[in-house]
Amino acid sequence: MLLAFDVGNTNIVLGVFKGKKLIQSWRMETDKNKSADEYGMIIRNLFDYHGLNMSDVKDAIISTVVPSISYTLQHLSIKYFNIRAIEVGPGIKTGMVIKYDNPKQVGADRIVNAVAAYAKYGGPLIVIDFGTATTFCCISEKCEYLGGTIAPGLKISSDALFEKTAKLPRVELSEPGHVICRNTIESMQSGLVYGHMGVVDYIIRKMKQEYQTMTGGNPKDMTVVATGGLATMVSKGVESIDHVDRLLTLEGLSLIYEKNKNNFGNRNNLSRENIQLKAEE
């Protein structure tokens, strides 16, 4: 089995694959203060609850936008699974040409999403990830990562309203059902949720126009795929979103693992002494 870690600023999403099939997934809070042992015990409990055996995990892959978590999860992989995890980053084969000015600046999660979306839906396409930040990625029909946009996510916007004003409360992120609101809570929810829908709709429209200018392609051929924790709610108000795919990043990690599993030497069967040495580094 393969254990995949998708580490975001707010949550870590874990997935267990048997062959190419995702058999279980979980979401936990990203906590930079947790040790490898604490994460290990959480994962052990999750495995036990769902009747999975940790010894059946033969490999692991990590995608993270939180560098400090990378060491912790690598330590966890070595200590609890006796393997060194593959980490998505420079040198990893993705099958995608990155057109960014500096390819190293593209977040691992954005590349993983792009790889998965292209494999599932073909190109050209736009991939939107509703996480701590809302990211937009444009991929050509030739499997080229052309670039994208990064906007504040809904949660960041909500936190900013609460933290930077004297009287506005913290609110639940949900649709109030209208924009002519008669109380502060619904007024904030309306501005946050419907305002974000407007941002998404505009950027999709603008991105399709620029894609046509850059490539000569027909923007009507572009597929728009949304993923991330808030994708379902936001997509309800954005007609240009074609698919909501909550597990896109995990599927992308599985695909990238298949492309790279034979390129990193023997990462399995570590000796107990080597595990202890790595754990203490």
Side-chain angles (χ1 to χ4, degrees):
M1 293 195 303
L2 170 69
L3 179 61
F5 295 90
D6 168 26
V7 184
N9 288 290
T10 304
N11 291 306
I12 298 174
V13 181
L14 297 89
V16 178
F17 290 84
K18 189 172 184 179
K20 296 181 181 181
K21 181 180 179 182
L22 179 64
I23 60 173
Q24 193 58 252
S25 64
W26 307 280
R27 184 179 294 266
M28 67 176 72
E29 181 184 9
T30 301
D31 186 347
K32 291 181 284 187
N33 296 316
K34 273 191 171 63
S35 67
D37 289 325
E38 289 174 302
Y39 276 121
M41 290 300 99
I42 292 172
I43 293 172
R44 182 181 295 280
N45 288 336
L46 291 171
F47 269 62
D48 288 345
Y49 182 80
H50 290 278
L52 299 174
N53 193 333
M54 291 177 69
S55 64
D56 290 336
V57 173
K58 303 303 180 185
D59 222 333
I61 185 167
I62 300 168
S63 167
T64 178
V65 297
V66 187
S68 60
I69 296 286
S70 179
Y71 170 82
T72 301
L73 296 184
Q74 192 65 260
H75 182 172
L76 178 154
S77 297
I78 292 170
K79 184 171 182 179
Y80 288 89
F81 297 100
N82 200 29
I83 51 179
R84 295 186 187 93
I86 295 171
E87 295 187 50
V88 178
I92 289 290
K93 292 182 178 180
T94 64
M96 183 166 288
V97 178
I98 311 299
K99 295 287 189 176
Y100 231 55
D101 291 340
N102 182 354
K104 293 181 180 179
Q105 291 182 347
V106 186
D109 56 334
R110 298 174 74 185
I111 298 301
V112 173
N113 285 340
V115 168
Y118 187 87
K120 292 185 74 172
Y121 305 103
L125 57 91
I126 295 169
V127 183
I128 310 169
D129 190 346
F130 294 96
T132 305
T134 298
T135 61
F136 302 76
C137 302
C138 183
I139 298 91
S140 76
E141 62 179 339
K142 298 178 181 179
C143 198
E144 301 166 315
Y145 185 95
L146 299 179
T149 291
I150 302 173
L154 263 171
K155 188 175 185 302
I156 286 178
S157 300
S158 177
D159 289 344
L161 270 180
F162 170 69
E163 293 169 4
K164 300 299 182 180
T165 58
K167 298 182 69 176
L168 294 181
R170 192 182 297 277
V171 298
E172 179 186 357
L173 291 175
S174 62
E175 290 188 65
H178 41 264
V179 294
I180 301 178
C181 304
R182 298 189 178 186
N183 62 69
T184 300
I185 299 296
E186 290 188 351
S187 296
M188 292 175 66
Q189 290 173 329
S190 175
L192 288 165
V193 176
Y194 298 134
H196 205 66
M197 289 175 180
V199 168
V200 171
D201 188 58
Y202 178 83
I203 292 177
I204 290 173
R205 187 167 66 251
K206 183 74 170 172
M207 194 169 279
K208 286 183 175 182
Q209 293 171 354
E210 291 185 11
Y211 175 79
Q212 184 177 32
T213 301
M214 291 173 64
T215 68
N218 188 345
K220 294 182 179 179
D221 294 336
M222 300 192 82
T223 302
V224 181
V225 182
T227 190
L230 295 170
T232 300
M233 181 178 68
V234 177
S235 67
K236 293 177 182 178
V238 184
E239 293 182 0
S240 52
I241 292 177
D242 300 304
H243 304 281
V244 175
D245 198 331
R246 293 285 302 276
L247 299 175
L248 190 70
T249 313
L250 290 179
E251 293 174 0
L253 284 170
S254 176
L255 290 170
I256 291 175
Y257 165 75
E258 291 295 330
K259 294 177 184 292
N260 291 273
K261 63 182 179 181
N262 298 320
N263 299 327
F264 287 84
N266 182 16
R267 291 170 293 110
N268 301 314
N269 301 320
L270 302 177
S271 68
R272 188 173 300 276
E273 292 78 9
N274 195 23
I275 294 172
Q276 185 65 30
L277 176 62
K278 291 291 181 181
E280 293 174 353
E281 286 181 354

PDB file of all heavy atoms in Angstrom, residues 3 36 57 74 81 89 128 130 170 179 193 200 204 245:
ATOM      1  N   LEU A   3       1.055   5.294   1.198  1.00  0.00           N
ATOM      2  CA  LEU A   3       0.514   6.324   2.072  1.00  0.00           C
ATOM      3  C   LEU A   3       0.903   7.679   1.505  1.00  0.00           C
ATOM      4  O   LEU A   3       2.091   7.967   1.317  1.00  0.00           O
ATOM      5  CB  LEU A   3       1.054   6.169   3.496  1.00  0.00           C
ATOM      6  CG  LEU A   3       0.591   7.208   4.534  1.00  0.00           C
ATOM      7  CD1 LEU A   3      -0.916   7.179   4.706  1.00  0.00           C
ATOM      8  CD2 LEU A   3       1.290   6.971   5.876  1.00  0.00           C
ATOM      9  N   ALA A  36       6.868  13.763  15.346  1.00  0.00           N
ATOM     10  CA  ALA A  36       6.627  12.588  14.507  1.00  0.00           C
ATOM     11  C   ALA A  36       5.871  11.518  15.289  1.00  0.00           C
ATOM     12  O   ALA A  36       5.011  10.824  14.742  1.00  0.00           O
ATOM     13  CB  ALA A  36       7.958  12.037  13.992  1.00  0.00           C
ATOM     14  N   VAL A  57       1.864  -0.879   4.545  1.00  0.00           N
ATOM     15  CA  VAL A  57       2.334   0.299   3.806  1.00  0.00           C
ATOM     16  C   VAL A  57       3.776   0.058   3.392  1.00  0.00           C
ATOM     17  O   VAL A  57       4.660  -0.104   4.228  1.00  0.00           O
ATOM     18  CB  VAL A  57       2.222   1.572   4.665  1.00  0.00           C
ATOM     19  CG1 VAL A  57       2.870   2.762   3.946  1.00  0.00           C
ATOM     20  CG2 VAL A  57       0.763   1.871   4.977  1.00  0.00           C
ATOM     21  N   GLN A  74       8.898  12.921   7.307  1.00  0.00           N
ATOM     22  CA  GLN A  74       9.954  11.996   6.857  1.00  0.00           C
ATOM     23  C   GLN A  74      10.441  11.147   8.027  1.00  0.00           C
ATOM     24  O   GLN A  74      10.642   9.934   7.907  1.00  0.00           O
ATOM     25  CB  GLN A  74      11.108  12.794   6.250  1.00  0.00           C
ATOM     26  CG  GLN A  74      12.122  11.958   5.504  1.00  0.00           C
ATOM     27  CD  GLN A  74      11.565  11.288   4.275  1.00  0.00           C
ATOM     28  OE1 GLN A  74      11.234  10.101   4.328  1.00  0.00           O
ATOM     29  NE2 GLN A  74      11.459  12.021   3.180  1.00  0.00           N
ATOM     30  N   PHE A  81       7.111   3.318   9.435  1.00  0.00           N
ATOM     31  CA  PHE A  81       6.845   2.511   8.242  1.00  0.00           C
ATOM     32  C   PHE A  81       8.108   1.917   7.624  1.00  0.00           C
ATOM     33  O   PHE A  81       8.040   1.203   6.625  1.00  0.00           O
ATOM     34  CB  PHE A  81       6.109   3.352   7.196  1.00  0.00           C
ATOM     35  CG  PHE A  81       4.750   3.821   7.657  1.00  0.00           C
ATOM     36  CD1 PHE A  81       4.575   5.108   8.137  1.00  0.00           C
ATOM     37  CD2 PHE A  81       3.654   2.968   7.628  1.00  0.00           C
ATOM     38  CE1 PHE A  81       3.330   5.543   8.573  1.00  0.00           C
ATOM     39  CE2 PHE A  81       2.404   3.388   8.065  1.00  0.00           C
ATOM     40  CZ  PHE A  81       2.250   4.681   8.539  1.00  0.00           C
ATOM     41  N   GLY A  89       9.091  17.739  -5.303  1.00  0.00           N
ATOM     42  CA  GLY A  89       9.931  18.926  -5.359  1.00  0.00           C
ATOM     43  C   GLY A  89      10.849  18.860  -6.556  1.00  0.00           C
ATOM     44  O   GLY A  89      10.630  18.054  -7.476  1.00  0.00           O
ATOM     45  N   ILE A 128      -8.638  24.961  -9.809  1.00  0.00           N
ATOM     46  CA  ILE A 128      -8.794  25.886  -8.685  1.00  0.00           C
ATOM     47  C   ILE A 128      -8.760  25.083  -7.392  1.00  0.00           C
ATOM     48  O   ILE A 128      -9.504  24.109  -7.241  1.00  0.00           O
ATOM     49  CB  ILE A 128     -10.128  26.649  -8.771  1.00  0.00           C
ATOM     50  CG1 ILE A 128     -10.308  27.265 -10.155  1.00  0.00           C
ATOM     51  CG2 ILE A 128     -10.186  27.737  -7.695  1.00  0.00           C
ATOM     52  CD1 ILE A 128     -11.711  27.802 -10.396  1.00  0.00           C
ATOM     53  N   PHE A 130      -9.338  25.443  -3.439  1.00  0.00           N
ATOM     54  CA  PHE A 130      -9.871  26.290  -2.370  1.00  0.00           C
ATOM     55  C   PHE A 130      -9.299  25.825  -1.036  1.00  0.00           C
ATOM     56  O   PHE A 130      -9.884  25.026  -0.321  1.00  0.00           O
ATOM     57  CB  PHE A 130     -11.397  26.216  -2.356  1.00  0.00           C
ATOM     58  CG  PHE A 130     -12.044  26.797  -3.581  1.00  0.00           C
ATOM     59  CD1 PHE A 130     -12.410  25.985  -4.639  1.00  0.00           C
ATOM     60  CD2 PHE A 130     -12.277  28.162  -3.672  1.00  0.00           C
ATOM     61  CE1 PHE A 130     -13.007  26.517  -5.772  1.00  0.00           C
ATOM     62  CE2 PHE A 130     -12.876  28.709  -4.805  1.00  0.00           C
ATOM     63  CZ  PHE A 130     -13.239  27.880  -5.853  1.00  0.00           C
ATOM     64  N   ARG A 170     -16.276  36.865  14.637  1.00  0.00           N
ATOM     65  CA  ARG A 170     -15.874  35.735  13.795  1.00  0.00           C
ATOM     66  C   ARG A 170     -17.149  34.999  13.376  1.00  0.00           C
ATOM     67  O   ARG A 170     -18.031  34.753  14.212  1.00  0.00           O
ATOM     68  CB  ARG A 170     -14.953  34.788  14.558  1.00  0.00           C
ATOM     69  CG  ARG A 170     -14.268  33.752  13.664  1.00  0.00           C
ATOM     70  CD  ARG A 170     -13.407  32.800  14.497  1.00  0.00           C
ATOM     71  NE  ARG A 170     -12.332  33.491  15.170  1.00  0.00           N
ATOM     72  CZ  ARG A 170     -11.161  33.794  14.594  1.00  0.00           C
ATOM     73  NH1 ARG A 170     -10.953  33.467  13.321  1.00  0.00           N
ATOM     74  NH2 ARG A 170     -10.209  34.410  15.285  1.00  0.00           N
ATOM     75  N   VAL A 179     -28.068  38.862  -0.446  1.00  0.00           N
ATOM     76  CA  VAL A 179     -27.025  39.872  -0.274  1.00  0.00           C
ATOM     77  C   VAL A 179     -27.563  41.162   0.341  1.00  0.00           C
ATOM     78  O   VAL A 179     -26.784  42.021   0.760  1.00  0.00           O
ATOM     79  CB  VAL A 179     -26.322  40.192  -1.616  1.00  0.00           C
ATOM     80  CG1 VAL A 179     -25.549  38.987  -2.116  1.00  0.00           C
ATOM     81  CG2 VAL A 179     -27.299  40.695  -2.661  1.00  0.00           C
ATOM     82  N   VAL A 193     -18.620  34.963   1.211  1.00  0.00           N
ATOM     83  CA  VAL A 193     -18.917  33.841   0.322  1.00  0.00           C
ATOM     84  C   VAL A 193     -19.236  34.313  -1.093  1.00  0.00           C
ATOM     85  O   VAL A 193     -18.626  33.864  -2.075  1.00  0.00           O
ATOM     86  CB  VAL A 193     -20.069  32.983   0.888  1.00  0.00           C
ATOM     87  CG1 VAL A 193     -20.424  31.867  -0.100  1.00  0.00           C
ATOM     88  CG2 VAL A 193     -19.666  32.383   2.227  1.00  0.00           C
ATOM     89  N   VAL A 200     -13.745  34.363  -8.079  1.00  0.00           N
ATOM     90  CA  VAL A 200     -13.488  33.136  -8.836  1.00  0.00           C
ATOM     91  C   VAL A 200     -14.029  33.249 -10.254  1.00  0.00           C
ATOM     92  O   VAL A 200     -13.346  32.912 -11.233  1.00  0.00           O
ATOM     93  CB  VAL A 200     -14.112  31.917  -8.112  1.00  0.00           C
ATOM     94  CG1 VAL A 200     -14.040  30.663  -8.990  1.00  0.00           C
ATOM     95  CG2 VAL A 200     -13.399  31.674  -6.783  1.00  0.00           C
ATOM     96  N   ILE A 204     -11.588  33.192 -13.629  1.00  0.00           N
ATOM     97  CA  ILE A 204     -11.791  32.159 -14.657  1.00  0.00           C
ATOM     98  C   ILE A 204     -12.007  32.815 -16.020  1.00  0.00           C
ATOM     99  O   ILE A 204     -11.387  32.427 -17.025  1.00  0.00           O
ATOM    100  CB  ILE A 204     -12.992  31.260 -14.307  1.00  0.00           C
ATOM    101  CG1 ILE A 204     -12.673  30.381 -13.094  1.00  0.00           C
ATOM    102  CG2 ILE A 204     -13.366  30.372 -15.497  1.00  0.00           C
ATOM    103  CD1 ILE A 204     -13.864  29.596 -12.577  1.00  0.00           C
ATOM    104  N   ASP A 245     -13.740  18.066  -7.500  1.00  0.00           N
ATOM    105  CA  ASP A 245     -13.004  16.827  -7.273  1.00  0.00           C
ATOM    106  C   ASP A 245     -12.225  16.966  -5.969  1.00  0.00           C
ATOM    107  O   ASP A 245     -11.080  17.425  -5.955  1.00  0.00           O
ATOM    108  CB  ASP A 245     -12.070  16.567  -8.457  1.00  0.00           C
ATOM    109  CG  ASP A 245     -11.585  15.131  -8.534  1.00  0.00           C
ATOM    110  OD1 ASP A 245     -11.481  14.496  -7.467  1.00  0.00           O
ATOM    111  OD2 ASP A 245     -11.307  14.655  -9.644  1.00  0.00           O
TER     112      ASP A 245
END
